[in-house]
Amino acid sequence: MKMSRLISIIIILIDKQRISAKELATIFEVSTRTIYRDIEAISMAGIPVHSTSGVGGGFEIMENYKMDKNTFSEADIITLLTGVSSIPNIMKNKEVTNTLTKIKKFIPADKLESINLQTEQLHIDFSHWMGDRDLEVYLNIIKNALQKNQLLFFEYLNHSGIKTKRQIEPYQLVLKNTQWYLYGYCYERNDFRLFKLTRLSDLKIEEMTFIPKDYPKPFLDATEISNQLKVTVKLRIHESIMERLLDYCDYDSFLKDGENHYILNFPFIENDYYYGILLSFGEQCECLEPLHIRSALKRKIANLFQIYEK
């Protein structure tokens, strides 16, 4: 991780005339002390980084310095190309294209074919197979607000279906599990909040600017909480949906039950999302136990039946 960060800092220093330690720390989500250590390591590698103190100060590479193509190893260049190339298409712009062009200039002629081949061996695509809502307009509005420290206003629909008006200071765009989120300080809640972009409507950028706060990182890993909430349900499934269950369980979890069925212990959390997962398997899946979850499924199926009986 440190090597990747050092290389990225070098690219930024080449691209920018001057940048402060605080700006670099914000970009890489590390302390300014770490950035100072990184700059020292870059200088020790023979790259002349000049430091200017005071207002408007920062780091810059000495004028007229040109880097040797051998500064980066083959593995370094592959890492950089893979990282930049994996940026979702919806976020790509001329700056990303320029960055790719600059990185490719560091490829020695005798390694060009090998590096291109290895880079193409990994393809990362965050888009859905179908039905993906077009969020490009919203993403561009948010990016502009982030760059200029401008407030955002929008209506937000929460998980209970309640719509509220929000005015926030935007701090981060987050891509989590193919879903986009906006992280910012919400004036209505007087706290930092994470907003799912598909739940936003009437998004507007305001002329009013704000002074950025020191902000905590958004909570993005619910593994520990979900493990505490998980229970195990026993399912009997038809072999035709086995591949769908492999998103949640490994092959060793499936026990043969007759010619065309399997018994499976399925990790389950008692909320609407997980009940929806089980119901999506239709008649190819039966919950055997525990009894209270089986009974809850029967009630949901009965309620659904009544809707279509009308």
Side-chain angles (χ1 to χ4, degrees), residues 36-63:
Y36 280 111
R37 285 199 295 264
D38 289 345
I39 294 296
E40 183 180 357
I42 292 170
S43 297
M44 290 176 65
I47 299 174
V49 180
H50 176 67
S51 175
T52 304
S53 59
V55 179
F59 301 111
E60 58 187 321
I61 291 181
M62 293 180 66
E63 193 175 353

Side-chain angles (χ1 to χ4, degrees), residues 89-104:
N89 288 332
I90 200 169
M91 293 293 290
K92 287 182 178 176
N93 50 31
K94 64 179 181 180
E95 285 79 14
V96 174
T97 303
N98 291 339
T99 301
L100 277 169
T101 302
K102 290 173 183 176
I103 294 172
K104 289 177 180 179

Side-chain angles (χ1 to χ4, degrees), residues 147-164:
Q147 291 170 1
K148 300 175 183 178
N149 292 332
Q150 288 178 287
L151 297 177
L152 287 171
F153 177 85
F154 53 85
E155 291 188 345
Y156 191 68
L157 188 71
N158 69 14
H159 64 279
S160 300
I162 299 172
K163 183 177 285 190
T164 55

Side-chain angles (χ1 to χ4, degrees), residues 10-155:
I10 293 170
I11 295 295
I12 290 173
L13 291 174
I14 291 172
D15 191 45
K16 288 180 174 287
Q17 290 185 339
R18 184 177 296 169
I19 187 168
S20 69
K22 186 177 181 180
E23 288 177 282
L24 288 170
T26 300
I27 292 171
F28 296 103
E29 297 185 346
V30 296
S31 66
T32 53
R33 181 178 297 180
T34 297
I35 293 298
Y36 280 111
R37 285 199 295 264
D38 289 345
I39 294 296
E40 183 180 357
I42 292 170
S43 297
M44 290 176 65
I47 299 174
V49 180
H50 176 67
S51 175
T52 304
S53 59
V55 179
F59 301 111
E60 58 187 321
I61 291 181
M62 293 180 66
E63 193 175 353
N64 299 326
Y65 174 75
K66 292 184 178 180
M67 293 182 66
D68 190 332
K69 287 188 176 182
N70 293 320
T71 299
F72 297 126
S73 69
E74 185 171 332
D76 292 336
I77 296 173
I78 292 170
T79 299
L80 285 168
L81 287 174
T82 302
V84 177
S85 299
S86 65
I87 295 173
N89 288 332
I90 200 169
M91 293 293 290
K92 287 182 178 176
N93 50 31
K94 64 179 181 180
E95 285 79 14
V96 174
T97 303
N98 291 339
T99 301
L100 277 169
T101 302
K102 290 173 183 176
I103 294 172
K104 289 177 180 179
K105 288 180 180 178
F106 289 108
I107 304 177
D110 60 328
K111 295 181 179 179
L112 182 61
E113 185 176 349
S114 172
I115 288 176
N116 284 337
L117 176 63
Q118 292 183 66
T119 302
E120 291 174 0
Q121 288 174 344
L122 177 64
H123 177 74
I124 301 173
D125 186 352
F126 293 101
S127 63
H128 296 281
W129 284 105
M130 61 182 69
D132 192 15
R133 176 178 165 186
D134 185 8
L135 297 172
E136 186 172 359
V137 173
Y138 277 10
L139 287 168
N140 286 330
I141 291 173
I142 295 169
K143 283 193 294 180
N144 288 332
L146 286 167
Q147 291 170 1
K148 300 175 183 178
N149 292 332
Q150 288 178 287
L151 297 177
L152 287 171
F153 177 85
F154 53 85
E155 291 188 345

